[in-house]
């Protein structure tokens, strides 16, 4: 409404301008719609001393100098004008009152340009004013949008059209304003330079969805077909919102991963990919990819995308899960335990997904857990049977890894039941099998002879260790009599154990030495000898058949009446060693075993003169086996 107050000021200015010099006032620029009219307001003045009887005036187009023959728009003396202005121009003001207002009607684009006024007071009293108006012929309303429209903040958009035609008045309406707000028409307003405009205002609070919205204004002239429309696109500034991003991503170790982040904002945002506070990639763009080649478990984790501009920021995260086979399990806990103590073993690994963990011992499952990275095995009271090698196996769908470990159980010695003594001819061997941890010391005691032999005396004792078992063999040679009592004593840090070794018969030792093959050979030889004796007996029966009648019984033959044909004489003259024989050491050689065991069943040992057929067969078999 402040424009309405400028009119009185204009007249005051005109009144003050009177005072003795040529001057004029008109708007520097004025606009009007094509096909309508325009009134160019104009005031002029001249020196008071001239006092003309009649005042004339001329309007020129685009040039103020008559010698250039510019087109005449209006001439008060002759009414002769340029053809472009015929019937289109007339003077609205009274030149006598120093009012030179010009009206142009039926405007067309070629009428747009500069308009100059020339005062004519007669004679040489003519003056062309340098002041001029520029006429702009328009076809669209002017929509004025503030330089910055921010989402969430109220904004005022105006539609302004010229209203300088007294014959036609425009009416304004908004297009595409639904959802934005209701317009307010201010009406006709006077501008600073004396021109008039019609103004309509639209107040609304824009949203990000309104960005790019096409808002229009229409100027229509009643009772005519004249109608003009203008449009403006709203440039709404708003902070970023991330609208596109991967959800949680699963990838197999060694594969390629592409993470996408897209944001909506105006102006475009600065997108930044980050992990643990470290910037991985950034760019000013609507979307940004983060490429990861041959991902490793170390790249597993949470990735963040940050979008920001001058109006705000937004961020979102995505979790990358790298799937991989279990790492080689690590084992810690109890490695050495004393019998009866509690042993705890912890096996752990890393994998994705979590593995199945299992602890084995000799293919027996001792503990297992599903989808856990750690497994604990607790043995409340360890025993010697718990000693040995264990395996911790970790497995998922991407692979399997295993780690072996040993549990050492320390315990007092145990003498096993297979410990015994056995005799063969003039040799006695005593076997003592001990199970213990740590390795024990072993000694053999002969109470009847007050003798103790330990494993350091290598001439008599042979020892060998396998795992937790220690096998010691005592060899006694020259034992023609019944073997003495033998006590095996074993000791270590945790205790001592003694056992009198039982005596086993020699016949068991013979078959242990000759083995299955030797037995077959001996049996074959025995059959051959029996066949030979049978044939000899038949021949003898034939020779003596004349001395016996058919019903007489033949003589009974005893084994003492025969010797093995072809057997060496040394077997008949061999004497068993006497008391001069001493104890001999085994030195790693297998024990010598006597094959003539059949007389042990009779409870006595045969002398040289009491050889039987059975003993001779056994000795002969021994020769063949050797």
């Amino acid at each position: 409404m402040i424009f309405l107050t400028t009119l009185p000021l204009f007249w005051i200015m005109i009144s003050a301008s009177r005072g003795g010099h040529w001057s004029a006032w008109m708007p520097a620029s004025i606009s009007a719609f094509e096909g309508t009219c325009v009134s160019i307001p104009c005031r002029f003045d001249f020196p008071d001393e001239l006092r003309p009887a009649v005042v004339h005036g001329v309007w020129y187009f685009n040039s103020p100098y008559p010698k250039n023959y510019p087109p005449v728009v209006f001439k008060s003396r002759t009414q002769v004008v340029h053809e472009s202005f015929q019937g289109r121009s007339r003077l609205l003001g009274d030149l006598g009152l120093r009012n030179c207002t010009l009206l142009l009607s039926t405007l067309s684009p070629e009428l747009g340009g500069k308009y100059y006024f020339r005062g004519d007071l007669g004679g040489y009293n003519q003056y062309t004013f340098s002041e001029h108006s520029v006429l702009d012929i328009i076809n669209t309303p002017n929509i004025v949008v503030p330089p910055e429209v921010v989402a969430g903040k109220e904004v005022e958009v105006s539609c302004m059209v010229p209203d300088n035609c007294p014959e036609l008045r425009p009416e304004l309406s908004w297009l595409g304003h639904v959802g934005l707000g209701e317009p307010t028409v201010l009406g006709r307003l006077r501008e600073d330079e004396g021109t008039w405009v019609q103004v309509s205002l639209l107040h609304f609070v824009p949203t990000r969805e309104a960005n790019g919205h096409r808002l229009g204004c229409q100027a229509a002239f009643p009772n005519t077909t004249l109608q003009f429309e203008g449009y403006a696109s709203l440039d709404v500034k708003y902070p970023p919102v991330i609208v596109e991003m991967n959800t949680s991503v699963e990838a197999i170790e060694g594969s390629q991963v592409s993470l996408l982040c897209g944001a909506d904002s105006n102006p475009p945002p600065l997108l930044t990919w980050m992990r643990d506070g470290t910037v991985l990639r950034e760019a000013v763009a609507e979307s940004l990819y983060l490429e990861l080649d041959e991902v490793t478990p170390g790249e597993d984790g949470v990735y963040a995308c940050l979008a920001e501009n001058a109006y705000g920021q937004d961020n979102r995260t995505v979790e990358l899960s790298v799937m991989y086979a279990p790492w080689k399990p690590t084992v810690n806990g109890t490695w050495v335990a004393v019998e009866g103590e509690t042993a705890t073993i912890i096996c752990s690994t890393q994998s994705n997904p979590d593995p199945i963990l299992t602890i084995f011992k000799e293919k027996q499952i001792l503990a297992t857990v599903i989808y856990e990275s750690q497994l604990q095995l607790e043995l409340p009271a360890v025993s010697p049977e718990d000693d040995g090698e264990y395996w911790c196996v970790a497995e998922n769908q991407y692979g399997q890894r295993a780690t072996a470990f040993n549990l050492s159980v320390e315990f007092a010695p145990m003498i096993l039941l297979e410990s015994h003594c056995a005799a063969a001819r003039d040799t006695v061997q005593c076997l003592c099998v001990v199970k213990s941890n740590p390795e024990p010391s072993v000694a053999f005691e002969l109470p009847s002879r007050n003798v103790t032999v330990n494993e350091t005396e290598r001439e008599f004792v042979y020892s060998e260790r396998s795992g937790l078992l220690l096998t010691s063999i005592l060899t006694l040679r020259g034992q023609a009599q019944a073997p003495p009592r033998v006590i095996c004593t074993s000791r270590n840090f945790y205790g001592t154990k003694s056992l009198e070794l039982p005596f086993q018969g020699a016949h068991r030792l013979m078959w242990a030495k000759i083995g299955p093959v030797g037995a077959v050979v001996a049996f074959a030889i025995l059959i051959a000898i029996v066949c030979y004796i049978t044939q000899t007996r038949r021949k003898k029966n034939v020779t003596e058949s004349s001395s016996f009648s058919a019903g007489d019984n033949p003589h009974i033959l005893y084994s003492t009446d025969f010797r093995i044909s072809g057997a060496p004489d040394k077997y008949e003259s061999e004497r068993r060693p006497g008391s001069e024989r001493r104890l001999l050491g085994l030195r790693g050689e297998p024990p010598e075993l006597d094959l003539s065991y059949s007389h042990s069943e009779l409870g006595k040992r045969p002398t040289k003169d009491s050889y039987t057929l059975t003993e001779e067969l056994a000795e002969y078999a021994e020769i063949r086996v050797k």
Side-chain angles (χ1 to χ4, degrees):
M1 302 299 294
I2 60 174
F3 299 111
L4 300 178
T5 63
T6 60
L7 186 58
L9 294 176
F10 170 71
W11 289 110
I12 295 174
M13 180 185 69
I14 295 300
S15 300
S17 64
R18 297 177 180 178
H21 62 274
W22 294 93
S23 62
W25 177 93
M26 63 186 69
S29 63
I30 193 169
S31 60
F33 283 105
E34 182 182 359
T36 64
C37 66
V38 63
S39 173
I40 303 176
C42 176
R43 298 286 179 180
F44 69 99
D45 197 7
F46 50 86
D48 292 338
E49 63 270 17
L50 296 181
R51 301 180 183 274
V54 179
V55 178
H56 292 279
V58 181
W59 281 94
Y60 292 114
F61 181 64
N62 277 341
S63 178
Y65 305 109
K67 63 181 180 179
N68 294 337
Y69 301 102
V72 176
V73 176
F74 172 81
K75 190 173 184 179
S76 60
R77 283 184 180 273
T78 62
Q79 299 294 321
V80 176
V81 297
H82 189 272
E83 59 182 4
S84 298
F85 296 95
Q86 289 181 1
R88 291 186 175 183
S89 63
R90 61 189 177 95
L91 193 67
L92 292 181
D94 186 350
L95 295 179
L97 299 177
R98 306 181 186 187
N99 187 335
C100 51
T101 301
L102 176 68
L103 177 67
L104 300 174
S105 60
T106 318
L107 296 176
S108 59
E110 66 271 14
L111 300 187
K114 299 177 181 179
Y115 289 82
Y116 295 87
F117 178 69
R118 178 180 177 84
D120 183 2
L121 305 182
Y124 294 101
N125 296 322
Q126 297 182 10
Y127 187 83
T128 301
F129 299 96
S130 60
E131 293 84 356
H132 63 277
S133 285
V134 178
L135 175 61
D136 184 19
I137 310 299
I138 64 174
N139 288 294
T140 58
N142 181 28
I143 299 178
V144 180
V145 181
E148 184 177 77
V149 178
V150 180
K153 295 183 179 180
E154 186 179 30
V155 65
E156 178 185 272
V157 179
S158 61
C159 177
M160 303 178 66
V161 296
D163 190 9
N164 296 307
C165 178
E167 300 174 355
L168 296 172
R169 300 289 181 181
E171 292 183 355
L172 300 180
S173 60
W174 287 94
L175 305 174
H177 71 287
V178 178
L180 296 180
E182 293 299 324
T184 300
V185 178
L186 294 182
R188 189 168 184 260
L189 299 179
R190 191 172 189 275
E191 297 181 305
D192 291 340
E193 293 186 343
T195 59
W196 296 85
V197 294
Q198 282 278 1
V199 179
S200 179
L201 302 179
L202 185 64
H203 291 85
F204 61 94
V205 177
T207 62
R208 66 175 59 247
E209 290 76 18
N211 182 46
H213 182 78
R214 198 162 180 259
L215 185 64
C217 179
Q218 183 183 80
F221 293 86
N223 303 320
T224 69
T225 58
L226 298 175
Q227 192 172 8
F228 304 93
E229 295 179 356
Y231 291 89
S233 293
L234 297 179
D235 184 18
V236 181
K237 310 295 184 182
Y238 54 90
V241 174
I242 295 178
V243 295
E244 187 176 15
M245 194 169 183
N246 302 83
T247 56
S248 58
V249 177
E250 290 186 356
I252 301 175
E253 181 180 9
S255 63
Q256 183 179 9
V257 175
S258 180
L259 302 179
L260 171 63
C261 178
D264 174 35
S265 72
N266 187 26
L270 172 64
L271 292 177
T272 306
W273 275 108
M274 305 178 67
R275 180 171 182 259
D276 297 333
T278 302
V279 175
L280 303 178
R281 191 183 179 195
E282 64 180 1
V284 176
E286 294 181 354
S287 62
L288 182 64
Y289 281 94
L290 177 63
E291 302 289 348
L292 301 175
D293 297 328
E294 298 182 357
V295 292
T296 65
E299 294 175 290
D300 188 287
V302 177
Y303 292 76
C305 177
L306 175 65
E308 57 184 340
N309 64 11
Y311 301 95
Q313 65 178 17
D314 189 20
N315 67 82
R316 284 179 60 184
T317 60
V318 57
E319 183 175 0
L320 172 61
S321 182
V322 180
M323 319 301 285
Y324 59 96
W327 293 359
K328 186 176 180 63
T330 58
V331 181
N332 54 35
T334 305
W335 302 105
V336 178
V338 179
E339 182 179 10
E341 291 183 347
T342 298
T344 301
I345 304 295
I346 299 176
C347 175
S348 59
T349 186
Q350 290 187 17
S351 69
N352 193 11
D354 287 329
I356 299 174
L357 279 172
T358 306
I359 295 181
F360 292 89
K361 183 177 185 289
E362 297 176 355
K363 299 183 180 181
Q364 180 182 1
I365 298 177
L366 301 180
T368 187
V369 66
I370 298 176
Y371 304 138
E372 296 287 344
S373 60
Q374 181 173 294
L375 172 62
Q376 178 174 309
L377 171 64
E378 184 170 316
L379 303 174
V382 296
S383 63
E385 287 71 23
D386 296 321
D387 188 284
E389 185 181 56
Y390 293 72
W391 284 90
C392 178
V393 180
E395 181 179 16
N396 64 11
Q397 60 265 45
Y398 299 102
Q400 181 188 87
R401 298 295 297 275
T403 298
F405 62 95
N406 286 281
L407 173 62
S408 179
V409 180
E410 296 186 345
F411 54 95
M414 296 184 295
I415 300 179
L416 305 186
L417 296 178
E418 54 260 38
S419 302
H420 67 279
C421 290
R425 290 190 183 178
D426 59 349
T427 301
V428 173
Q429 287 188 331
C430 294
L431 180 70
C432 186
V433 183
V434 181
K435 184 177 183 180
S436 74
N437 189 21
E439 182 176 350
S441 62
V442 176
F444 294 92
E445 300 179 29
L446 284 69
S448 60
R449 301 181 185 181
N450 196 23
V451 174
T452 299
V453 182
N454 58 40
E455 57 188 347
T456 61
E457 301 180 62
R458 299 298 180 88
E459 296 182 0
F460 313 110
V461 178
Y462 170 79
S463 295
E464 184 178 75
R465 183 173 177 86
S466 176
L468 299 178
L469 296 180
L470 177 65
T471 303
S472 292
I473 302 175
L474 171 67
T475 302
L476 302 175
R477 298 182 183 275
Q479 301 299 312
Q481 308 300 323
R485 291 174 57 225
V486 178
I487 299 175
C488 177
T489 300
S490 177
R491 61 171 51 85
N492 66 7
F493 177 78
Y494 299 102
T496 303
K497 184 70 174 178
S498 296
L499 176 67
E500 182 175 345
L501 302 179
F503 179 80
Q504 293 184 358
H507 61 284
R508 298 181 181 177
L509 296 177
M510 181 196 75
W511 295 111
K513 178 176 181 180
I514 66 176
V517 176
V520 172
V521 173
F523 184 68
I525 295 173
L526 179 61
I527 293 176
I529 294 174
V530 171
C531 292
Y532 172 77
I533 295 173
T534 303
Q535 290 177 0
T536 304
R537 188 175 293 177
R538 286 178 181 175
K539 290 179 182 180
K540 186 175 181 181
N541 289 341
V542 171
T543 306
E544 296 178 353
S545 60
S546 58
S547 305
F548 296 94
S549 61
D552 294 338
N553 293 326
H555 293 294
I556 298 176
L557 302 178
Y558 295 96
S559 61
T560 54
D561 296 333
F562 295 91
R563 295 289 185 270
I564 300 174
S565 177
D569 294 339
K570 69 175 182 177
Y571 287 94
E572 295 187 8
S573 60
E574 184 179 359
R575 295 290 186 272
R576 296 190 179 275
S579 60
E580 68 276 11
R581 303 292 289 277
R582 63 184 179 85
L583 294 172
L584 298 177
L586 182 61
R587 297 185 179 277
E589 299 177 358
E592 296 183 4
L593 303 179
D594 193 345
L595 295 178
S596 56
Y597 66 92
S598 59
H599 292 286
S600 64
E601 298 174 356
L602 302 177
K604 61 180 181 178
R605 294 189 65 81
T607 63
K608 172 194 173 190
D609 298 329
S610 60
Y611 267 62
T612 64
L613 175 62
T614 305
E615 183 175 3
E616 291 171 345
L617 292 175
E619 291 187 357
Y620 185 70
E622 182 179 8
I623 296 170
R624 294 298 298 271
V625 171
K626 292 183 177 180

